[in-house]
Amino acid sequence: MHQRAVSVRLAWDEMAAVCRPGSLTVEGFMAVRPRGSVQHLASRVIGRLGSDAGPWDAFASIFPAITATGVSNRSALQALARREKGPRGLYGDAIFWASTDGALDAALVSRTLIGEGGETWLRAGAGATPASILEREIGETCEKLRTVAPHMRFAIQ
């Protein structure tokens, strides 16, 4: 099974824990979406929250996103805790808004420009799995960085 199809299946499984039975659907399965010089395979998994789940339950069920990590939410959190010395910050997390009536909208951060203490750097990544080819993942990550790098402006100090 294609790696992206596995990602859709895992996202489905994670959402099933908080959605009404029978409410999950997939739209645009593995549709090609151009993003600058990179093309992504995109699928949209949609479901209705169960009566005992709210927007924060939905958020917790899918972040960190399977498409960013390549593994299920629980596995990703365990792997990050074992390998990273501190908080990863914005990359791989979400930017979201929430309203007082319970609405929540979130988007995955997959490319990040960070500046601190006179230094600036870019972050991008790929969802690596045991079936991934390391050289291709590195190449894809560099392609992602090239979509952001031309828009950077540097100040001479």
Side-chain angles (χ1 to χ4, degrees), residues 2-86:
H2 189 276
Q3 176 180 337
R4 294 299 176 214
V6 170
S7 295
V8 172
R9 181 73 221 179
L10 287 170
W12 178 289
D13 292 345
E14 289 174 345
M15 290 176 62
V18 295
C19 289
R20 293 180 193 161
S23 72
L24 288 171
T25 60
V26 177
E27 290 183 354
F29 180 69
M30 292 177 56
V32 177
R33 302 280 188 238
R35 299 288 186 262
S37 65
V38 179
Q39 293 184 340
H40 290 276
L41 293 176
S43 303
R44 186 173 180 176
V45 182
I46 301 169
R48 305 276 311 159
L49 286 177
S51 59
D52 59 342
W56 291 110
D57 298 306
F59 179 78
S61 77
I62 59 173
F63 276 91
I66 181 73
T67 54
T69 62
V71 295
S72 69
N73 185 302
R74 177 169 291 161
S75 297
L77 292 173
Q78 291 169 347
L80 293 172
R82 284 192 309 271
R83 291 178 175 84
E84 295 185 351
K85 295 179 181 6

Side-chain angles (χ1 to χ4, degrees), residues 112-136:
T112 311
L113 174 66
I114 300 170
E116 185 178 314
E119 295 182 359
T120 304
W121 63 96
L122 290 171
R123 285 185 178 176
T129 70
S132 296
I133 299 168
L134 179 61
E135 293 79 15
R136 183 62 202 125

Side-chain angles (χ1 to χ4, degrees), residues 128-152:
T129 70
S132 296
I133 299 168
L134 179 61
E135 293 79 15
R136 183 62 202 125
E137 295 297 343
I138 291 170
E140 180 180 329
T141 301
C142 291
E143 290 168 14
K144 290 176 184 177
L145 292 171
R146 282 194 291 274
T147 67
V148 178
H151 304 285
M152 295 176 63

